[in-house]
């Protein structure tokens, strides 16, 4: 019996127009009515997740969300259950590296704000700030508090640029941090013990839910840790080949109600 459904947002819950289709929304609301927890599990902060929580009707202290790829586990009302961030020394180390290598980047504070020391701000950072309903704060590490910590850093750019960056960045940081190509335009760095799977492990332990009672949906590399955790891992038809290889089942695409079709097959 499935007690919790965890959903990636971009290219999974949302279609290619960044919308939740009517059938997907209806299916998730039906699951909620049956007492199943619906947990959005995203690299976004709470501010970037909240519009979709509201649209589906996920509210209150008894419903939960996993944000920053697992760095924070919290109720949808903002009560933090688990928090694991990079400290100020880590933040400065990352900024020093990206500055020396002329990389464009941003970091997220746990207030959902976007920070960068880039003066020429990449369009991906602008989009991220807009999605999070946040401004972009151009600050060097010395312009921020000495105890400034971050849940996540993201090196951003076009696919070809990040293809060239990925291996050098992993060589520099992978021994100390969780480094993942979250999508074509994002190369993300987080605490070594942070990923969507670890966030889901913490939440289900608190809720006394077993892995076999969990169903997850995703499409990309950063979803693999929750695929490995859950009893039922479902990849979207538009997902990467790597994600499909790790899934128990491949459903239809995000544009063709893949979530709703999988829920009809496995739950309803």
């Amino acid at each position: 019996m499935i007690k919790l459904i965890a959903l990636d947002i971009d290219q999974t819950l949302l279609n290619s127009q960044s919308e939740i289709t009517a059938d997907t929304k209806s299916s998730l609301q039906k699951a909620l009515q049956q007492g199943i927890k619906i947990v959005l599990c995203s690299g976004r902060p709470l501010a970037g997740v909240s519009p979709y929580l509201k649209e589906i009707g996920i509210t209150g202290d008894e419903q939960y969300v996993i944000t920053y790829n697992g760095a924070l586990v919290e109720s949808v009302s903002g009560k933090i259950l688990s928090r694991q961030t990079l400290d100020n020394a880590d933040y400065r180390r990352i900024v020093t590296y990206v500055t020396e290598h002329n990389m464009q980047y941003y970091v997220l504070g746990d207030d959902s704000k976007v920070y960068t020391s880039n003066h020429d701000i990449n369009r991906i950072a602008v989009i991220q700030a807009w999605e999070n309903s946040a401004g972009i704060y151009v600050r060097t590490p010395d312009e921020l508090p000495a105890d400034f910590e971050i849940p996540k850093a993201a090196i951003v750019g076009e696919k070809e640029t990040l293809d060239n960056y990925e291996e050098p960045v992993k060589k520099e940081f992978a021994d100390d941090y969780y480094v993942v190509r979250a999508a074509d335009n994002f190369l993300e760095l987080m605490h070594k013990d942070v990923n969507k799977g670890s966030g889901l492990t913490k939440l289900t332990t608190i809720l006394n839910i077993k892995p076999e009672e969990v169903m997850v949906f995703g499409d990309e590399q950063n979803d693999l840790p929750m695929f490995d955790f859950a009893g039922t891992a479902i990849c979207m038809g538009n997902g990467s080949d790597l994600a499909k290889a790790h899934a128990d089942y491949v459903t239809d695409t995000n544009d063709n109600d893949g979530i709703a079709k999988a829920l009809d097959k496995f739950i309803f």
Side-chain angles (χ1 to χ4, degrees):
M1 178 179 176
I2 299 299
K3 294 183 178 180
L4 186 150
I5 298 169
L7 300 150
D8 171 55
I9 293 181
D10 295 293
Q11 303 303 316
T12 298
L13 174 65
L14 303 183
N15 65 12
S16 55
Q17 285 74 49
S18 296
E19 298 171 340
I20 305 174
T21 67
D23 283 352
T24 293
K25 186 190 307 182
S26 176
S27 291
L28 292 173
Q29 290 171 339
K30 184 177 178 181
L32 277 173
Q33 290 166 4
Q34 293 185 6
I36 298 172
K37 299 287 187 188
I38 305 297
V39 178
L40 302 192
C41 191
S42 174
R44 299 183 186 214
L46 183 59
V49 173
S50 292
Y52 309 112
L53 296 170
K54 182 178 180 181
E55 184 174 355
I56 297 167
I58 305 171
T59 61
D61 280 337
E62 300 303 316
Q63 298 292 342
Y64 306 93
V65 63
I66 295 169
T67 55
Y68 304 97
N69 277 332
L72 267 68
V73 178
E74 52 195 316
S75 72
V76 300
S77 57
K79 179 182 178 182
I80 295 176
L81 282 67
S82 173
R83 179 178 184 270
Q84 201 156 27
T85 57
L86 296 173
D87 66 20
N88 194 259
D90 295 319
Y91 161 62
R92 286 174 177 270
R93 177 185 170 188
I94 293 167
V95 173
T96 297
Y97 178 88
V98 298
T99 301
E100 289 177 349
H101 291 82
N102 298 311
M103 296 176 176
Q104 292 182 301
Y105 81 102
Y106 67 84
V107 302
L108 284 168
D110 56 14
D111 54 5
S112 298
K113 293 178 180 178
V114 176
Y115 297 86
T116 183
S117 57
N118 295 146
H119 289 280
D120 296 324
I121 299 173
N122 188 275
R123 71 177 184 88
I124 303 300
V126 175
I127 292 169
Q128 182 73 68
W130 177 78
E131 288 178 343
N132 295 344
S133 301
I136 297 176
Y137 295 80
V138 180
R139 303 285 190 275
T140 66
D142 288 339
E143 292 176 303
L144 290 164
D147 60 353
F148 181 71
E149 297 182 349
I150 58 170
K152 184 178 79 171
I155 299 168
V156 294
E158 303 310 313
K159 179 182 183 302
E160 296 77 12
T161 300
L162 291 195
D163 286 346
N164 292 327
Y165 288 169
E166 185 169 358
E167 287 309 312
V169 170
K170 286 182 175 179
K171 183 177 180 181
E172 175 70 22
F173 292 111
D175 287 343
D176 301 312
Y177 308 124
Y178 174 50
V179 183
V180 63
R181 184 76 174 268
D184 285 345
N185 305 110
F186 297 90
L187 182 57
E188 299 182 345
L189 297 89
M190 288 152 285
H191 189 283
K192 184 71 172 178
D193 298 327
V194 163
N195 58 58
K196 289 185 179 182
S198 67
L200 201 50
T201 299
K202 290 172 183 175
L203 177 59
T204 54
T205 299
I206 292 168
L207 298 178
N208 196 27
I209 292 174
K210 300 173 183 177
E212 56 266 30
E213 297 171 325
V214 177
M215 175 182 287
V216 300
F217 289 83
D219 72 302
E220 263 298 348
Q221 289 185 42
N222 62 336
D223 298 316
L224 300 187
M226 68 176 184
F227 279 20
D228 292 340
F229 169 81
T232 306
I234 299 177
C235 185
M236 305 304 291
N238 53 284
S240 69
D241 290 342
L242 182 60
K244 289 176 180 177
H246 277 73
D248 299 308
Y249 178 75
V250 178
T251 188
D252 209 333
T253 68
N254 58 333
D255 285 329
N256 291 316
D257 296 307
I259 291 173
K261 290 175 180 177
L263 294 183
D264 282 342
K265 178 179 177 64
F266 289 101
I267 295 180
F268 306 138

